[in-house]
C-alpha cells in the first residue's frame, strides 16, 4: 500500500495534439499554444493597480499542518504574505462533505485567518453536507456568504463591481436577481465569481449550467469570470458565450481550482484556451486598476507560473 496521502496523489496527461507545445517542468505539465506562448509576458503597469485580491477554489482537504503535503496550509501562508485587499473563493472551500465540523477543523485553521475579508462562493462539495446542502458553508461563513439571506450577492471595490453566485442552483430567481443587479451597477468594470466554469479543458469539462449567467454578463459588458471545480489553472482569451473569440467585448475566464485539492488532468483542449497548467497548487494574485486588470498565478512557494496580459475594461 502506498504511503502517499490522497491529497498528494498527482496525475498527468498530455492534452490532445494541436498547434502547441507541452513540457513537463519541475513536475508541472505546462502547455501553451504556439501563437501565444509569450502572451503572459506582455508589459504591465499601464494602469496602476487600485487594489489587489487573491483568488482560489477547491481548497481545504481534510489535513492539517502536521500532515506532510497538506497544500492548503501552504497556499494560506502565501495568501497571508501577499496581504490582499480581499480574498475570493471559487467554491469547494472544504472537502469532502463540507460539514460544519470540517470547516472548523481544517479550513478555519488555514484560510480561516482571512475570513473577515473573504468573499466566498459555494461549490458542489458544499452541497454534500449530511445536514443539508450548504448547511456547513452557511454555519461557517454566516452573513459573509449570505449578506441578504441568499447564497449570492454583490459588492463594489474601487471602480469594480463583483457578483458572487451560487452555480449549484442557477434558478430563475437568481438570474432575475443578477439581471437587476447588473442593470443597477454604475461601476465601469464587472467581474463574476462562482464555481462551475462554462469552459474548461479539465476533467469535468464545460458546464452548460453557466450559459445563462454568461449571456447576462456578456449583454451587460462584464470583463472577467473566475471559476474553480476543475483542479487546474487555465486562462482563456476574451470570448462570447458561444465560444467565439471577441477581443472587443469578450469575457475573460480564469479557472483557479488550485487552492489545495488533488490536481486534475488536462483532457480536452477548448477553443480560446491560452494557458493550462496541471499539477501545481497556489493562488491567483489579481491587480485591479481603475479600468484594467491582470493577474499572476503563483505556486505555493510564491513562484510565478503564469502572468496574464493586461486587459482593459469595456
Amino acid at each position: 500500500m502506498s504511503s502517499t496521502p490522497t491529497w498528494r496523489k498527482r496525475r498527468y496527461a498530455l492534452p490532445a495534439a494541436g498547434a502547441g507545445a507541452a513540457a513537463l517542468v519541475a513536475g508541472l505539465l505546462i502547455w501553451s499554444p504556439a501563437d501565444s506562448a509569450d502572451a503572459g509576458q506582455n508589459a504591465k503597469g499601464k494602469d496602476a493597480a487600485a487594489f489587489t485580491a487573491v483568488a482560489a477554489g477547491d481548497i481545504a482537504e481534510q489535513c492539517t499542518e502536521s500532515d506532510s503535503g497538506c497544500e492548503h496550509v501552504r497556499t494560506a501562508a502565501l495568501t497571508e504574505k501577499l496581504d490582499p485587499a480581499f480574498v475570493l473563493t471559487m467554491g469547494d472551500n472544504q472537502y469532502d462533505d463540507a460539514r460544519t465540523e470540517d470547516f472548523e477543523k481544517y479550513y478555519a485553521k488555514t484560510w480561516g485567518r482571512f475570513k473577515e475579508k473573504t468573499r466566498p462562493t459555494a461549490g458542489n462539495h458544499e452541497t454534500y453536507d449530511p445536514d443539508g446542502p450548504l448547511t456547513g458553508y452557511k454555519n461557517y461563513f454566516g452573513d459573509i456568504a449570505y449578506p441578504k439571506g441568499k447564497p449570492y450577492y454583490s459588492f463594489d471595490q474601487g471602480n469594480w463591481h463583483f457578483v458572487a453566485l451560487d452555480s449549484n442552483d442557477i434558478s430563475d430567481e437568481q438570474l432575475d436577481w443578477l439581471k437587476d443587479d447588473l442593470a443597477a451597477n454604475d461601476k465601469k468594470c464587472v467581474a463574476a465569481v462562482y464555481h462551475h466554469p462554462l469552459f474548461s479543458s479539465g476533467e469535468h469539462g464545460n458546464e452548460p449550467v453557466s450559459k445563462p449567467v454568461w449571456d447576462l454578463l456578456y449583454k451587460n459588458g462584464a470583463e472577467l469570470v473566475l471559476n474553480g471545480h476543475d483542479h487546474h489553472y487555465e486562462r482563456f482569451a476574451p470570448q462570447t458565450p458561444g465560444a467565439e473569440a471577441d477581443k472587443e467585448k469578450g469575457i475573460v475566464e480564469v479557472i483557479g481550482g488550485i487552492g489545495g485539492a488533488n490536481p486534475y488532468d488536462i483532457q480536452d483542449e477548448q477553443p480560446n484556451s491560452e494557458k493550462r497548467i496541471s499539477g501545481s497548487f497556489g493562488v491567483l494574485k489579481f491587480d485591479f486598476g481603475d479600468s484594467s486588470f491582470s493577474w499572476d498565478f503563483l505556486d505555493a512557494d510564491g513562484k510565478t507560473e503564469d502572468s496574464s496580459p493586461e486587459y482593459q475594461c469595456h
Side-chain angles (χ1 to χ4, degrees):
M1 179 179 295
S2 171
S3 61
T4 302
T6 57
W7 56 83
R8 289 290 291 169
K9 294 178 181 177
R10 303 185 180 189
R11 298 164 290 163
Y12 306 99
L14 291 177
L24 194 62
V25 180
L28 308 182
L29 181 64
I30 302 178
W31 196 100
S32 294
D35 60 354
S36 62
D38 295 326
Q41 303 304 315
N42 291 11
K44 298 181 180 180
K46 296 179 182 179
D47 181 14
F51 59 93
T52 64
V54 162
D58 306 274
I59 297 169
E61 292 277 10
Q62 292 186 7
C63 59
T64 64
E65 188 174 6
S66 62
D67 298 309
S68 175
C70 190
E71 298 292 345
H72 65 97
V73 172
R74 301 175 66 224
T75 57
L78 174 60
T79 300
E80 183 174 36
K81 182 177 180 180
L82 294 172
D83 191 25
F86 56 88
V87 171
L88 299 167
T89 72
M90 289 97 82
D92 285 2
N93 307 275
Q94 177 61 58
Y95 283 84
D96 283 327
D97 299 330
R99 299 171 300 176
T100 302
E101 56 265 39
D102 293 332
F103 267 105
E104 293 173 349
K105 186 175 181 179
Y106 304 109
Y107 184 96
K109 300 297 176 58
T110 58
W111 283 67
R113 71 190 68 166
F114 323 118
K115 183 177 179 180
E116 296 305 315
K117 64 177 180 179
T118 294
R119 303 294 178 263
T121 60
N124 52 292
H125 277 267
E126 273 81 20
T127 71
Y128 301 159
D129 188 340
D131 292 330
L134 306 189
T135 297
Y137 173 77
K138 184 176 183 180
N139 286 344
Y140 179 73
F141 284 111
D143 291 343
I144 295 172
Y146 284 72
K148 294 186 177 180
K150 300 289 185 179
Y152 47 86
Y153 57 94
S154 64
F155 66 97
D156 294 331
Q157 182 85 9
N159 205 26
W160 281 80
H161 183 67
F162 293 86
V163 292
L165 305 176
D166 175 17
S167 59
N168 294 296
D169 180 20
I170 302 181
S171 62
D172 289 341
E173 179 185 12
Q174 184 172 187
L175 290 173
D176 287 344
W177 172 87
L178 178 60
K179 181 179 179 180
D180 292 343
D181 181 85
L182 292 172
N185 169 52
D186 62 358
K187 301 296 183 180
K188 179 177 178 60
C189 308
V190 176
V193 186
Y194 56 93
H195 190 58
H196 299 83
L198 180 58
F199 307 108
S200 174
S201 301
E203 292 187 14
H204 285 303
N206 296 349
E207 295 282 353
V209 67
S210 300
K211 178 65 161 51
V213 171
W214 265 71
D215 289 339
L216 283 173
L217 293 171
Y218 184 77
K219 181 179 180 180
N220 285 272
E223 278 70 37
L224 175 65
V225 168
L226 297 177
N227 301 128
H229 199 41
D230 265 328
H231 301 182
H232 71 278
Y233 165 78
E234 185 167 13
R235 62 174 163 88
F236 288 82
Q239 59 185 322
T240 71
E244 297 177 355
D246 184 349
K247 293 183 178 180
E248 298 301 320
K249 299 186 298 180
I251 298 172
V252 173
E253 182 193 279
V254 188
I255 296 174
I258 37 73
N262 185 43
Y264 288 176
D265 298 332
I266 303 298
Q267 289 200 345
D268 187 12
E269 175 196 341
Q270 296 300 304
N272 306 307
S273 177
E274 290 192 325
K275 189 84 169 188
R276 297 170 293 285
I277 301 177
S278 174
S280 183
F281 302 93
V283 302
L284 309 179
K285 176 182 176 293
F286 277 86
D287 292 326
F288 291 103
D290 286 338
S291 60
S292 69
F293 66 99
S294 62
W295 71 90
D296 295 316
F297 169 33
L298 305 177
D299 72 12
D301 293 321
K303 177 184 175 183
T304 301
E305 297 291 344
D306 183 47
S307 293
S308 77
E310 183 179 74
Y311 296 98
Q312 299 299 313
C313 297
H314 302 137

